[in-house]
């Protein structure tokens, strides 16, 4: 196994009694020093993956490797992993210092060493001078940093974060996203972060695993997943999308809305049924005669940085447009989009097949 791989799941299934599998034949690898996000709706299996990594539960089938060794039966207290829970799980009767020092005291470390490690951990999370503060006197963001300090003081190889920002207000949540990302870079520790918030995942991650119904739908960088979703679920869950049925006429030519359009996708069968994705920000409003499509503006909302405009074309399809230009409800406008804005999805394509097809695009690009 590659020495840079710290965690590996090999055909892991987790099932409770006779219920449907929470995780179904899941395989993936986690590299050292990266920020990973497990993204998906409630009940999809992302927290179960955290619990399996932490050792709080074991797999029904398959193997979990840590540094190349199977750890299926290794208890939680013997794994180089620490968890930051959604409610932080801080001890309310202990002050900041004692909360952070708790794990070190369990290890029976000498007081001088505890003092040094706690001081370093609090400095890392910008809480110097808060050693004697009571937990009840701390804000939500400060409590989260105490929980992170308690995790890093034990020098784990992996930190697991189970939706630790969900209880914070929007402004503080955004601030903590930056703080967590910067903290991970400074520590160089592998972070595995669980969330159902797509914007959070896109902003913070080196790599994202999109999970649904106990299976990993797609994995990759935020840019790859946003620009090249593998199926309707990923396209709809990551960002906002216009998704329509279509037909691949041939390489780089697709048909939808009764018309043919140039695109950049290839590797499909001729006349193969497909689904089309166009992101709202890739649509430009023009005069009706200049657009590739003609739509009627139905509703419009101001979102601060752009207008969110809902339109309907002559076929009755709904189109969502993000534009800095204000439209007029009821008017007909044109929609222009470049060939690169059209993303074509094949029904039932696996991630391996999808990746191989994308490689052919790169080969063609090099030839040209």
């Amino acid at each position: 196994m590659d020495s840079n791989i710290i965690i590996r799941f090999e055909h892991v299934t987790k099932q409770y009694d006779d219920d449907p599998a929470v995780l179904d034949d899941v395989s993936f690898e986690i590299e050292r020093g990266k920020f990973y996000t497990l993204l998906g709706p409630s009940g999809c299996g992302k927290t179960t993956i955290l619990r399996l990594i932490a050792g709080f539960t074991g797999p029904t089938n398959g193997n979990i490797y840590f540094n190349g060794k199977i750890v299926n039966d290794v208890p939680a207290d013997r794994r180089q992993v620490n968890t930051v829970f959604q409610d932080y799980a801080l001890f309310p009767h202990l002050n900041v210092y004692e909360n952070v020092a708790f794990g070190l005291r369990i290890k029976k470390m000498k007081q001088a060493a505890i003092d040094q490690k706690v001081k370093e951990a609090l400095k890392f999370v910008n809480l110097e001078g808060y050693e004697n503060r009571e937990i009840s006197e701390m804000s939500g963001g400060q409590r989260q940093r105490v929980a992170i300090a308690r995790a890093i003081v034990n020098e784990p190889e992996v930190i697991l974060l189970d939706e630790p920002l969900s209880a914070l207000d929007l402004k503080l949540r955004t601030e903590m996203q930056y703080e967590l990302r910067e903290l991970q870079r400074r520590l160089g520790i592998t972070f595995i972060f669980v969330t159902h918030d797509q914007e959070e995942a896109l902003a913070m991650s080196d790599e994202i695993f999109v999970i649904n119904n106990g299976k990993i739908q797609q994995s990759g960088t935020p840019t790859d997943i946003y620009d090249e979703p593998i199926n309707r679920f990923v396209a709809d869950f990551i960002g906002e999308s216009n998704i329509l049925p279509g037909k691949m006429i041939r390489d780089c030519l697709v048909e939808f809305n009764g018309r043919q359009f140039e695109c950049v996708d290839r590797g499909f069968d001729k006349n193969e049924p497909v689904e089309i994705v166009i992101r709202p920000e890739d649509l430009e409003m023009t005069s009706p005669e200049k657009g590739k499509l003609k739509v009627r503006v139905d509703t419009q909302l101001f979102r601060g940085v752009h207008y969110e405009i809902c339109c309907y074309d002559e076929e009755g399809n709904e189109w969502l447009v993000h534009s800095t230009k204000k439209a007029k409800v009821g008017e007909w406008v044109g929609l222009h989009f470049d060939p690169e804005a059209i993303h074509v999805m094949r029904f039932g394509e696996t991630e391996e097949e999808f990746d191989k097809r994308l490689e052919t695009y790169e080969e063609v690009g090099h030839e040209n």
Side-chain angles (χ1 to χ4, degrees), residues 8-211:
R8 180 170 150 226
F9 273 42
E10 186 179 76
H11 301 294
V12 171
T13 294
K14 180 62 181 178
Q15 186 173 13
Y16 295 97
D17 300 324
D18 295 326
D19 294 337
V22 182
L23 288 181
D24 186 8
D25 194 26
V26 169
S27 298
F28 63 82
E29 293 179 338
I30 299 287
E31 293 184 21
R32 298 179 190 279
K34 285 189 173 183
F35 196 117
Y36 288 86
T37 296
L38 308 180
L39 175 68
S42 298
C44 70
K46 53 189 186 293
T47 297
T48 300
I49 291 177
L50 278 201
R51 290 176 55 80
L52 287 164
I53 294 172
F56 298 144
T57 188
T60 306
N61 291 302
N63 291 315
I64 300 170
Y65 294 82
F66 199 101
N67 285 328
K69 298 179 180 178
I70 295 176
V71 294
N72 292 14
D73 299 319
V74 175
D77 61 355
R78 291 179 53 200
R79 301 194 187 192
Q80 285 296 305
V81 173
N82 269 61
T83 305
V84 178
F85 297 97
Q86 186 173 354
D87 61 358
Y88 311 143
L90 298 173
F91 300 112
H93 62 288
L94 300 179
N95 62 18
V96 169
Y97 178 97
E98 291 300 337
N99 264 280
V100 177
F102 184 81
L104 304 179
R105 295 201 187 283
I106 294 293
K107 295 179 179 179
K108 302 187 183 304
M109 192 172 286
K110 292 183 178 180
Q111 185 60 47
I114 292 176
D115 287 342
Q116 181 181 350
K117 286 184 173 293
V118 170
K119 182 178 180 181
E120 289 174 353
L122 290 176
K123 183 177 180 180
F124 252 113
V125 298
N126 297 319
L127 284 178
E128 287 179 287
Y130 285 79
E131 289 85 350
N132 297 318
R133 188 74 63 88
E134 297 297 323
I135 294 301
S136 60
E137 299 171 348
M138 308 289 281
S139 68
Q142 289 171 332
R143 291 182 190 188
Q144 186 204 53
R145 283 182 288 192
V146 173
I148 293 169
R150 187 176 62 181
I152 66 176
V153 78
N154 291 298
E155 299 180 357
E157 294 192 62
V158 178
I159 291 183
L160 310 176
L161 303 108
D162 190 4
E163 301 201 52
L165 307 184
S166 61
L168 305 179
D169 62 65
L170 181 60
K171 187 175 186 296
L172 181 57
R173 187 170 184 155
T174 302
E175 291 174 359
M176 292 307 299
Q177 288 173 12
Y178 285 105
E179 286 198 26
L180 267 182
R181 191 65 178 104
E182 181 57 30
L183 179 64
Q184 186 273 329
R185 288 194 178 107
R186 282 190 284 137
L187 288 171
I189 296 175
T190 303
F191 275 34
I192 304 177
F193 184 88
V194 162
T195 185
H196 59 266
D197 187 313
Q198 51 181 279
E199 292 183 3
E200 202 163 77
L202 291 171
M204 299 174 68
S205 314
D206 290 315
E207 291 197 32
I208 298 172
F209 294 154
V210 183
I211 306 169

Side-chain angles (χ1 to χ4, degrees), residues 246-262:
K247 180 169 65 175
M248 201 69 190
I249 305 302
R250 54 173 169 79
D251 281 354
C252 302
L253 186 67
V254 67
E255 179 179 294
F256 59 92
N257 266 48
R259 295 179 55 190
Q260 294 182 0
F261 302 92
E262 291 183 6

Side-chain angles (χ1 to χ4, degrees), residues 126-364:
N126 297 319
L127 284 178
E128 287 179 287
Y130 285 79
E131 289 85 350
N132 297 318
R133 188 74 63 88
E134 297 297 323
I135 294 301
S136 60
E137 299 171 348
M138 308 289 281
S139 68
Q142 289 171 332
R143 291 182 190 188
Q144 186 204 53
R145 283 182 288 192
V146 173
I148 293 169
R150 187 176 62 181
I152 66 176
V153 78
N154 291 298
E155 299 180 357
E157 294 192 62
V158 178
I159 291 183
L160 310 176
L161 303 108
D162 190 4
E163 301 201 52
L165 307 184
S166 61
L168 305 179
D169 62 65
L170 181 60
K171 187 175 186 296
L172 181 57
R173 187 170 184 155
T174 302
E175 291 174 359
M176 292 307 299
Q177 288 173 12
Y178 285 105
E179 286 198 26
L180 267 182
R181 191 65 178 104
E182 181 57 30
L183 179 64
Q184 186 273 329
R185 288 194 178 107
R186 282 190 284 137
L187 288 171
I189 296 175
T190 303
F191 275 34
I192 304 177
F193 184 88
V194 162
T195 185
H196 59 266
D197 187 313
Q198 51 181 279
E199 292 183 3
E200 202 163 77
L202 291 171
M204 299 174 68
S205 314
D206 290 315
E207 291 197 32
I208 298 172
F209 294 154
V210 183
I211 306 169
N212 190 39
N213 293 329
K215 290 182 177 290
I216 294 177
Q217 301 291 312
Q218 187 173 1
S219 61
T221 67
T223 303
D224 288 343
I225 289 179
Y226 187 83
D227 291 342
E228 301 286 349
I230 191 172
N231 56 34
R232 174 181 279 266
F233 174 81
V234 176
D236 205 32
F237 198 80
I238 300 284
E240 294 180 283
S241 303
N242 297 291
I243 306 176
L244 296 93
K247 180 169 65 175
M248 201 69 190
I249 305 302
R250 54 173 169 79
D251 281 354
C252 302
L253 186 67
V254 67
E255 179 179 294
F256 59 92
N257 266 48
R259 295 179 55 190
Q260 294 182 0
F261 302 92
E262 291 183 6
C263 63
V264 296
D265 293 270
R266 58 180 66 246
F268 294 85
D269 297 330
K270 289 186 176 180
N271 297 319
E272 179 180 348
V274 293
E275 287 189 296
I276 309 301
V277 177
I278 303 180
R279 297 290 189 181
E281 65 270 19
D282 290 331
L283 295 169
E284 179 187 355
M285 289 191 303
T286 66
S287 60
E289 59 273 11
K290 290 183 178 180
K292 292 183 177 181
L293 293 172
K294 183 180 175 183
V295 296
R296 184 176 182 272
V297 177
D298 185 62
T299 59
Q300 178 173 251
L301 296 173
F302 182 57
R303 295 294 189 187
V305 294
H306 64 259
Y307 291 96
E308 186 176 276
I309 303 165
C310 180
C311 311
Y312 288 89
D313 62 30
E314 295 169 300
E315 302 288 324
N317 296 309
E318 182 180 2
W319 290 86
L320 187 66
V321 182
H322 290 171
S323 175
T324 56
K325 298 178 182 178
K326 190 174 183 179
K328 185 178 179 180
V329 173
E331 72 175 342
W332 286 91
V333 299
L335 294 182
H336 177 78
F337 45 88
D338 294 326
E340 291 80 8
I342 301 172
H343 174 62
V344 183
M345 300 186 300
R346 170 176 268 158
F347 289 101
E349 190 168 40
T350 67
E351 189 166 14
E352 185 178 1
E353 293 168 341
F354 177 73
D355 290 340
K356 285 181 179 178
R357 182 161 60 81
L358 290 189
E359 287 174 7
T360 66
Y361 296 9
E362 296 175 6
E363 292 169 2
V364 170

